[in-house]
């Protein structure tokens, strides 16, 4: 007798469900951490390819947007392999990196102090930092509200936050071009070059986690930030959210 076959259950660390569904809640936290552990060795190379080398320029714009004094104490939240930390050190600041992926931290190319920690519960004293940068991680967090509140806690009053992430262009032509690259070419490159092709299907799909700009600003404001701004770069394919801790 034959009947409909149940879909195979995803492995304990698969980031996308069998039907391409995005994980939620604690399942997401575990799957995202495992995914970054797997892609860590090739992460920097893929990052440069996917961003067509523009990620360096986006990071420079992000650091400039913080308007820091020399020697500022800056938390590189979800630091990955430490790109922001290197830029911050070069600019004369004192970064500390935090990330929950041991794999990413293990291949980080930086002399910056690094701590393995979840952005939702940082092992950091209140008011410890002058600023926070966060690169391409907002969509990976389980709960943005919790992370923004935790960020406000570890920033001193007047401290600045700048979060950079992918976005979907609002103009139709740019959105179509973005889709060809991120939903067509990037998964293909992932299949050819990465040890975890699934991760490069997750990457474009995960922008769906991000609320619209106005909702991001509202979340930041309700977490205790003022002077909040949202801007896009590179035809709307990248977004930068900034604010100042009250
Ligand atoms: C796309 S990578 C970006 C890394 C780096 N910021 C950059 O700009 O290249 C996202 C990073 O966020 C980290 N991450 C995701 N969720 C996290 C969480 N809840 N706490 C800490 N790190 C997290 C991942 O381990 C990964 O290193």
């Amino acid at each position: 007798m034959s009947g409909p076959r149940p879909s195979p259950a995803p492995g304990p660390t698969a980031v996308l469900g069998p039907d391409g569904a995005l994980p939620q809640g604690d399942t997401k936290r575990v799957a995202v951490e495992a995914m970054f552990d797997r892609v860590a060795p090739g992460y920097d190379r893929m990052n440069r390819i996917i961003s067509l080398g523009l990620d360096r320029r986006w990071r420079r714009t992000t650091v400039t947007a913080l308007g820091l004094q020399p020697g500022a104490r800056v938390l590189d939240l979800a630091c990955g392999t430490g790109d922001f930390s290197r830029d911050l050190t070069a600019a004369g600041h004192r970064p500390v990196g935090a990330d929950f992926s041991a794999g990413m931290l293990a291949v980080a190319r930086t002399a910056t102090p690094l701590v393995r920690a979840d952005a939702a519960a940082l092992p950091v004293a209140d008011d410890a930092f002058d600023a926070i940068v966060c690169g391409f991680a907002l969509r990976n967090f389980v709960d943005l509200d919790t992370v923004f509140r935790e960020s406000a806690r570890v920033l001193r009053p007047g401290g600045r936050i700048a979060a950079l992430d992918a976005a979907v262009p609002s103009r139709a032509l740019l959105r179509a071009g973005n889709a060809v690259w991120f939903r067509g070419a990037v998964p293909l490159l992932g299949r050819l070059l990465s040890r975890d092709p699934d991760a490069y299907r997750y990457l474009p799909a995960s922008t769906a986690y991000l609320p619209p700009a106005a909702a991001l600003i509202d979340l930041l404001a309700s977490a205790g930030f003022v002077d909040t701004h949202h801007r896009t770069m590179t035809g709307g394919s990248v977004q930068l959210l900034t604010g100042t801790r009250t």
Side-chain angles (χ1 to χ4, degrees), residues 9 93 102 123 155 157 238 241 246:
H93 304 303
L155 278 176
V238 169
L241 184 67
T246 48

Side-chain angles (χ1 to χ4, degrees), residues 29 32-33 36-37 43-44 47-48 55 59 76-84 98-102 104-105 117-120 122 133-142 147 164 203:
R29 190 185 56 71
V32 166
E33 181 184 338
F36 280 107
D37 281 347
Y43 175 83
D44 284 340
N47 214 19
R48 296 285 116 73
D55 58 310
R59 286 195 180 86
D76 180 0
L77 188 63
C79 61
T81 58
D83 276 337
F84 259 131
D99 199 289
F100 72 0
S101 162
M104 293 292 270
L105 294 176
D118 192 319
L122 295 166
V133 285
C134 181
F136 301 100
L138 293 183
R139 70 203 129 92
N140 293 307
F141 298 144
V142 171
V147 172
L164 181 66
L203 171 70

Side-chain angles (χ1 to χ4, degrees), residues 33-212:
E33 181 184 338
M35 178 190 76
F36 280 107
D37 281 347
R38 285 193 299 274
V39 300
Y43 175 83
D44 284 340
R45 180 176 70 146
M46 281 299 283
N47 214 19
R48 296 285 116 73
I49 295 172
I50 290 170
S51 73
L52 302 170
L54 289 169
D55 58 310
R56 293 195 175 100
R57 185 189 300 174
W58 298 329
R59 286 195 180 86
R60 276 199 300 276
T61 304
T62 304
V63 172
T64 303
L66 289 169
L68 300 174
Q69 297 296 316
R73 300 160 301 165
V74 187
L75 176 63
D76 180 0
L77 188 63
C79 61
T81 58
D83 276 337
F84 259 131
S85 291
R86 280 194 301 282
D87 289 356
L88 288 160
T89 303
H93 304 303
R94 291 179 291 153
V96 172
D99 199 289
F100 72 0
S101 162
M104 293 292 270
L105 294 176
V107 297
R109 293 167 294 106
T110 173
T112 298
L114 301 174
V115 56
R116 184 170 177 220
D118 192 319
L122 295 166
V124 172
D126 294 359
D127 303 350
F129 289 100
D130 300 308
I132 293 177
V133 285
C134 181
F136 301 100
L138 293 183
R139 70 203 129 92
N140 293 307
F141 298 144
V142 171
D143 181 23
L144 275 178
D145 183 52
T146 305
V147 172
F148 286 161
R149 286 177 193 281
E150 185 66 346
S151 298
R153 181 186 69 75
V154 303
L155 278 176
R156 66 164 171 79
R160 299 270 295 147
I161 188 168
L164 181 66
D165 214 319
V168 178
S170 54
R171 292 170 68 177
L173 197 59
L174 293 169
R175 195 164 57 246
N178 182 271
V180 168
W181 180 245
F182 277 106
R183 294 182 185 271
V186 166
L188 182 63
L189 288 167
R191 279 211 298 281
L192 294 173
L193 301 175
S194 172
R195 62 170 64 181
D196 185 1
D198 200 33
Y200 293 92
R201 289 199 301 130
Y202 167 85
L203 171 70
S206 62
T207 52
Y209 284 117
L210 288 174

